[in-house]
């Protein structure tokens, strides 16, 4: 009888722990918001490795830092900055690498919410402070080419997104807009932005307008939130081409984990080529693996 009572108590404690865990996971899902907190710090580590094409192999790694600070009832100051690194190896010759700073994007946004914060809309304006400047002291050839390849790769592995961060010798004006909705067990979000990239030197190209948009959907399954993000970027809003690139479509399956005011996110972005071409395979398209963390303050 004592043994039976012992096992009964053990089962009761186990059931209580399982119930508490379910309640905790449910509350975590209920607290989840598709928008970032008013005050937050975030970082993303992105890695990409291009296969050896035309006897050239490329490895790219670029951490980025983002931050948001509430400056008024509906106002938010946002900062974005990155540190790209790229190594390029051609055949059996010497390997070249370069690491440098991205431009610093500083933006002021108006954030409004509705229906108990389940709906949000954020609109703003941002300026890219030109920090990514060409180093005129680099020797022609390998070092200079590695510098250009570094910043070009930082844009390419992102499906051409956010070029105002990675364009050398430019300052930019960006108009971003974001909206999202939190439904029971389901989240939707859309982001669009238009930017004007203005050259600061003769080595840079002409002024260009770039537009980008993305749509994201995720499931709220307690602690884990699997989802998918589709993105399209058009760097050809003017007659002149921008680095010879066409519009780029990409897809990113991801999973996000939330714990209180913090969240972790991991995903793989896959190039799908031009939107009009459809998802055809192409060895020259670059994939990217990213892992990020966000902390609400």
């Amino acid at each position: 009888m004592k043994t039976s009572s012992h096992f009964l108590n053990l089962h009761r404690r186990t059931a209580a722990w399982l119930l508490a865990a379910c309640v905790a996971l449910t509350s975590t899902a209920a607290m989840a918001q598709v928008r970032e907190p008013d005050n937050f710090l975030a970082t993303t580590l992105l890695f990409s490795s291009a296969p050896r094409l035309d006897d050239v192999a490329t490895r790219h790694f670029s951490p980025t830092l983002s931050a948001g600070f509430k400056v008024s009832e509906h106002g938010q100051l946002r900062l974005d900055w990155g540190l790209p690194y790229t190594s390029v190896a051609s055949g059996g010759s010497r390997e070249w690498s370069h690491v440098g700073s991205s431009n610093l994007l500083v933006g002021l946004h108006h954030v409004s919410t509705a229906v108990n914060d389940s709906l949000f809309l954020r609109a703003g304006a941002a300026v890219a402070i030109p920090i990514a400047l060409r180093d005129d002291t680099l020797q022609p050839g390998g070092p200079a080419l590695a510098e250009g390849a570094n910043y070009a790769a930082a844009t390419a592995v992102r499906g051409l997104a956010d070029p105002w961060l990675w364009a050398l010798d430019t300052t930019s004006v960006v108009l971003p807009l974001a909206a999202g909705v939190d439904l029971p067990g389901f989240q939707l979000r859309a982001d669009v932005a238009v930017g004007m990239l203005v050259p600061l030197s003769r080595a840079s190209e002409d002024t260009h307008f770039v537009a980008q948009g993305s749509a994201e959907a995720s499931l709220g399954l307690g602690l884990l939130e699997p989802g998918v993000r589709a993105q399209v970027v058009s760097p050809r809003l003017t007659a002149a081409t921008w680095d010879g690139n066409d519009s780029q479509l990409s897809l990113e399956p991801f999973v996000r984990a939330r714990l209180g005011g913090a969240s972790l996110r991991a995903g793989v972005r896959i190039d799908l080529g031009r939107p009009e071409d459809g998802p055809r395979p192409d060895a020259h398209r670059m994939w990217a693996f990213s892992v990020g963390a966000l902390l609400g303050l």
Side-chain angles (χ1 to χ4, degrees), residues 97-121:
S97 64
H98 182 270
V99 60
S101 170
S102 79
N103 297 315
L104 174 63
L105 189 67
V106 181
L108 188 60
H109 299 250
H110 177 85
V111 183
S112 57
T113 61
V115 195
N116 295 325
D117 288 346
S118 62
L119 298 174
F120 92 95
L121 177 67

Side-chain angles (χ1 to χ4, degrees), residues 118-182:
S118 62
L119 298 174
F120 92 95
L121 177 67
R122 187 181 74 237
V127 175
I129 299 175
I131 300 177
L133 303 175
R134 283 185 174 86
D135 187 354
D136 296 332
T137 64
L138 292 178
Q139 297 178 358
L145 290 176
E147 180 188 47
N150 186 22
Y151 290 93
T155 307
V157 298
R158 291 172 170 81
L160 306 183
D162 301 330
W164 31 83
L165 284 178
W166 317 105
L168 284 168
D169 292 344
T170 62
T171 183
S172 305
V173 178
V174 186
L175 301 177
L177 176 67
V181 56
D182 294 308

Side-chain angles (χ1 to χ4, degrees), residues 180-191:
V181 56
D182 294 308
L183 301 174
F186 189 64
Q187 297 176 330
L188 290 172
R189 174 172 174 149
D191 292 81

Side-chain angles (χ1 to χ4, degrees), residues 202-293:
R202 294 181 179 179
S204 301
E205 297 187 10
D206 296 332
T207 298
H208 293 284
F209 292 85
V210 178
Q212 63 186 41
S214 66
E216 177 182 305
S218 59
L219 297 175
L221 303 179
L223 181 63
L224 297 180
E225 299 176 4
V228 63
R229 182 174 184 263
Q231 172 186 278
V232 62
V233 181
S234 177
R236 299 187 65 174
L237 299 187
T238 55
T241 62
W242 183 72
D243 285 346
N245 290 315
D246 294 316
S247 298
Q248 181 71 51
L249 177 66
S250 59
L251 195 68
E252 181 191 10
F254 67 87
V255 62
R256 182 168 49 226
R258 297 185 187 270
L259 184 60
S263 66
L264 299 174
R265 185 183 188 278
V268 178
R269 193 197 60 79
I270 306 168
D271 279 343
L272 299 180
R274 297 187 304 172
E276 57 268 28
D277 290 341
R280 297 186 302 177
D282 187 338
H284 291 268
R285 295 173 185 167
M286 297 188 71
W287 62 273
F289 171 75
S290 64
V291 58

